[in-house]
Amino acid sequence: MKTTHNWTPPPLYLQVLIAVTCGVVLGGTFGQEPYLGGLRNEDLGQLGLFVVTLLKMLAIPLIFFAILDAFIRTNLPLRQGAKLLVICLINVTIAMTIGLVIMNIWKPGLVWYGHVDELLHLVPGSTPSAANLATEQTGTLSPLEYLASYIPRTIVAPFSTNNVMGVVLLALFLGAALRRLRGKADHGGGAVNVLVWTIERLYALLVQMLGWIILAVPLAVFGVVAQVVGKAGVGVFSVLWIFLAAMLLGLAVHALGYYPLAAWLVGKKSPKIYLGQGADAIMTAVSCNSSLATLPVTLRCLERMNVSPQSSRLAACVGTNLNNDGVTLYEAMAALFLAQALGFGLPLANQLLIVVASIIAGAGIAGIPEAGLIVLPLVFSAAGLPEHVIVAAIPLIMTVDWIIARARSGVNVMSDMLVAILLDAGRITPATEPSSIRYQSEANTPTEPQTS
């Protein structure tokens, strides 16, 4: 009797590492010379453009239907929901303050200043003079005029212009209206229930399509690395270390500084309890690159901290779309980094708009695989970065994004645990909870890891 073995592909980060290695070897071996019947490394660079284009194509409808789906599925009492929202807003405000302070004092993007045009010459379809275009993009709009420019003029306008703020605003209005109408509709059926069913199926369909595109990310990285190394040599990647260091610094300060302090001073959980008892969840999230797949471990860690099951489930399950400090902090810092690299003189008001775009985009697309990478082009567009700069930067960032993505997942899990602790603050929690209510949400945990 023959036994069959199902082959499991290596994790995405390992595929990216293999792609980078192969791209470096191919680029260094052939340079700009043709091989395999005239194929050039420059032709392989088109792979990166295809993936970025597909990600941008799906990002806007994904955000729209994700918000509608959240309105449909979430059932949260007003008082608890208000407390959850306030805690999450405070957390993300602290995160963004840390990011803005780092980016405005250190200004790490200036290390790239003067290198962006070199990168643009290396990516097909791009044009030079990024600094000149950056100056033209800045314009003379006042902060209110700049904000008003994101308000959609028609219902279809946000989708055709990739206006993420307009899409989120429209989704919020439609989601609230749909929720109200659904509450009044008969439970037996009706047009509203048909619409709800359609939204749920469309959202699932988009997530499935996204999963297929993510499978092509290593190929895109391979093509871009082969092209860049073929034209400029391995030395071109020497500028990437500063981007990686800046992003990891912001995440580390927020996660290892603010989170333990807030848990200690407000939640009465010492850093030894918060970090020690929560280490399993943090390391699981970093290793599997998913905060949602870590959910059962997160609930167990919170139980060990004597946090009530109600607060644990509310923070880690219901509030999953809001506890995304890792994603939102990364998006805002990355956009400001590139703005500095291009010589953008962004005033504080415009930086705050980038922050708002990061928050609403991150919340809207939370729980979707590779959420941080998907939202990145939209936040870059909200920052006013030229289109060809976005196309040039995203494939290069992919080569180190797998490292940052694991840090983001760890931060998101730490956010889940902190929110649960703060929700539970002041509550007299028994040392043990009935086992029958420990992991009510584990049945809803996705079997396939979803990156956050």
Side-chain angles (χ1 to χ4, degrees), residues 22-377:
C22 294
V24 169
V25 171
L26 192 64
T29 302
F30 293 99
Q32 301 184 60
E33 298 299 321
Y35 56 91
L36 293 180
L39 181 69
R40 296 175 182 267
N41 288 324
E42 183 175 354
D43 300 325
L44 294 178
Q46 293 287 346
L47 291 174
L49 302 185
F50 292 156
V51 173
V52 173
T53 302
L54 289 173
L55 287 175
K56 291 185 68 176
M57 175 190 72
L58 279 185
I60 285 293
L62 268 170
I63 291 177
F64 180 74
F65 284 103
I67 293 176
L68 291 180
D69 186 74
F71 267 99
I72 292 170
R73 294 179 182 273
T74 303
N75 185 15
L76 190 63
L78 180 60
R79 184 176 179 181
Q80 290 178 312
K83 187 176 181 180
L84 174 67
L85 183 60
V86 169
I87 292 174
C88 292
L89 285 177
I90 292 174
N91 288 347
V92 78
T93 300
I94 298 295
M96 291 306 177
T97 301
I98 291 172
L100 290 181
V101 169
I102 290 175
M103 298 307 296
N104 285 284
I105 293 180
W106 181 17
K107 297 184 178 179
L110 295 181
V111 176
W112 275 25
Y113 189 74
H115 292 281
V116 177
D117 279 339
E118 299 174 15
L119 297 177
L120 294 180
H121 286 297
L122 299 174
V123 177
S126 58
T127 57
S129 304
N132 293 338
L133 284 176
T135 304
E136 295 174 8
Q137 290 274 340
T138 305
T140 57
L141 293 178
S142 68
L144 287 179
E145 291 174 331
Y146 191 62
L147 179 61
S149 66
Y150 287 101
I151 299 177
R153 302 299 184 267
T154 65
I155 291 181
V156 297
F159 298 94
S160 61
T161 60
N162 281 340
N163 181 353
V164 62
M165 290 188 180
V167 168
V168 170
L169 185 63
L170 181 61
L172 289 175
F173 276 116
L174 290 178
L178 184 61
R179 188 180 181 92
R180 185 175 181 84
L181 289 174
R182 192 186 186 191
K184 296 179 179 180
D186 294 331
H187 294 289
V192 174
N193 289 329
V194 173
L195 181 58
V196 166
W197 181 88
T198 303
I199 290 172
E200 291 175 344
R201 296 304 181 274
L202 285 174
Y203 176 63
L205 178 64
L206 289 169
V207 171
Q208 178 61 64
M209 293 170 62
L210 177 64
W212 294 336
I213 296 176
I214 295 302
L215 293 176
V217 166
L219 291 176
V221 172
F222 165 71
V224 170
V225 170
Q227 181 206 16
V228 171
V229 173
K231 284 194 173 182
V234 181
V236 71
F237 292 104
S238 62
V239 296
L240 280 177
W241 75 268
I242 191 68
F243 177 82
L244 179 62
M247 301 303 111
L248 293 180
L249 176 62
L251 293 170
V253 170
H254 185 60
L256 302 179
Y258 166 69
Y259 283 163
L261 191 63
W264 188 17
L265 297 180
V266 182
K268 308 304 179 184
K269 305 291 184 185
S270 68
K272 182 179 180 180
I273 294 176
Y274 175 67
L275 295 176
Q277 299 292 342
D280 288 349
I282 297 170
M283 295 310 298
T284 301
V286 171
S287 62
C288 72
N289 193 18
S290 171
S291 59
L292 285 182
T294 310
L295 180 57
V297 184
T298 303
L299 294 175
R300 291 189 186 98
C301 289
L302 288 169
E303 183 190 26
R304 289 201 294 263
M305 297 181 202
N306 290 330
V307 177
S308 68
Q310 181 184 6
S311 297
S312 298
R313 292 195 298 269
L314 183 60
C317 304
V318 179
T320 185
N321 282 66
L322 301 176
N323 305 332
N324 288 281
D325 296 354
V327 173
T328 53
L329 178 61
Y330 167 66
E331 306 297 335
M333 289 186 67
L336 291 176
F337 184 97
L338 273 187
Q340 291 174 358
L342 290 168
F344 270 55
L346 291 179
L348 182 59
N350 288 357
Q351 292 184 31
L352 292 178
L353 286 175
I354 295 175
V355 167
V356 172
S358 302
I359 293 173
I360 60 180
I365 209 166
I368 294 174
E370 298 298 329
L373 186 62
I374 298 160
V375 175
L376 207 53

